[in-house]
Amino acid sequence: MHILVTNDDGVYAPGLIALAQTLRKIGKVSILAPDQNWSASGHVKTMHRPLRVKEVILADGSQALASDGAPSDCVALALLGLIEEKIDIVVSGINPNANIGHDVTYSGTVTAAMEAVINGVPGIAISLDSPENHHAHLDYQPAAQMASTITSHVLQDGLPVGVLLNVNVPYLPMEKIKGIKITRQGLRVYRDSLDKRIDPRGRPYYWIGGEAPTAIPEEGTDYGAVYAGYVSITPLQLDLTAWNVIAELENRKWD
Ligand code: MN
């Protein structure tokens, strides 16, 4: 089996190395990832400039390809033929922060897996719910182990057409992880605030700042599972239609 590993934190990120090393035990791994951090860049298709790809050597001595495109560009490049050998699955991560609730629309980790699905290949996004303000070395091993287990199952059983898996792993030692739960998207609570400042030439500029988001640990949701010590697997689809309001909107007068 041939696994494409990518991420949104950049090809040199430790979470990508941990993921690639673990996945090498279950298949052949190729790496094509952005040459810089694209976190929270959403689903990107670069159309108005060329994309460059170069060979790089990672901290563990392994070879990888780095592109100046977004995570979704990296997946498109690989699946459209830049990597000649057929790719069976795309695994994106390991992101150092959880991607839960509405995060999935911002996340480069998740949109890389979405791009896989668009190209007819199963996609899995892996994120670690590391503690807020954790600046020390992160232990990616439990999340890498879970990623490998889940990837093996998907390689064996496949995924329904159009579906990707958004996996979030609690930041716990392996023996403290209680198991796996299939979940739905929960609710993030964003605490963004606008910070307006003045540049040296007297013009205003803006930072979208504020405190880190929190989330509601409701049972059955992604964050509810992670909060309770479980690995969360949320099946996502690119059909964003709000099916439950179609009938109501059809009954309105529109002209
Ligand atoms: Mn990231």
Side-chain angles (χ1 to χ4, degrees):
M1 287 293 180
H2 187 199
I3 305 164
L4 175 71
V5 169
T6 192
N7 74 350
D8 76 353
D9 304 303
V11 70
Y12 298 110
L16 178 140
I17 294 180
L19 179 62
Q21 284 179 344
T22 311
L23 291 178
R24 266 188 206 109
K25 293 171 190 159
I26 61 168
K28 178 181 175 180
V29 169
S30 294
I31 301 169
L32 174 48
D35 63 6
Q36 56 180 294
N37 194 330
W38 281 79
S39 293
S41 64
H43 201 158
V44 173
K45 178 174 282 189
T46 296
M47 298 175 74
H48 301 291
R49 64 175 177 87
L51 292 169
R52 305 277 177 180
V53 178
K54 63 184 179 196
E55 290 181 17
V56 297
I57 303 292
L58 305 187
D60 64 350
S62 61
Q63 285 189 318
L65 295 171
S67 153
D68 60 354
S72 39
D73 289 320
C74 292
V75 172
L77 285 169
L79 296 179
L80 290 172
L82 189 141
I83 294 178
E84 288 176 15
E85 189 182 335
K86 180 180 174 284
I87 290 166
D88 298 297
I89 194 166
V90 174
V91 187
S92 173
I94 299 169
N95 197 64
N97 297 103
N99 278 304
I100 57 182
H102 297 345
D103 291 347
V104 301
T105 62
Y106 294 110
S107 168
T109 310
V110 176
T111 50
M114 288 179 178
E115 189 66 22
V117 164
I118 285 177
N119 288 277
V121 172
I124 305 178
I126 314 280
S127 305
L128 182 60
D129 184 35
S130 61
E132 200 186 328
N133 299 322
H134 182 106
H135 296 302
H137 167 81
L138 280 174
D139 180 6
Y140 284 100
Q141 284 316 310
Q145 209 50 59
M146 295 309 301
S148 171
T149 302
I150 292 165
T151 302
S152 293
H153 284 299
V154 171
L155 282 170
Q156 205 174 326
D157 303 331
L159 277 179
V161 173
V163 170
L164 59 135
L165 300 184
N166 182 34
V167 176
N168 284 281
V169 181
Y171 193 65
L172 293 171
M174 203 62 190
E175 67 274 12
K176 292 257 176 73
I177 294 177
K178 290 183 186 161
I180 293 176
K181 280 195 189 292
I182 306 300
T183 61
R184 59 187 163 86
Q185 264 179 266
L187 265 189
R188 264 288 191 210
V189 180
Y190 294 105
R191 299 185 289 173
D192 296 346
S193 64
L194 192 62
D195 194 347
K196 178 182 175 182
R197 303 182 191 183
I198 303 296
D199 77 14
R201 294 183 178 81
R203 294 171 308 193
Y205 65 98
Y206 303 90
W207 281 99
I208 297 175
E211 294 184 66
T214 57
I216 297 170
E218 190 187 350
E219 197 165 336
T221 67
D222 45 18
Y223 189 62
V226 168
Y227 184 81
Y230 292 87
V231 174
S232 162
I233 301 181
T234 310
L236 300 179
Q237 59 189 3
L238 278 81
D239 178 355
L240 301 178
T241 308
W243 291 100
N244 57 331
V245 301
I246 285 199
E248 192 266 315
L249 292 182
E250 277 176 341
N251 287 329
R252 292 189 195 180
K253 192 168 165 44
W254 290 97
D255 44 22

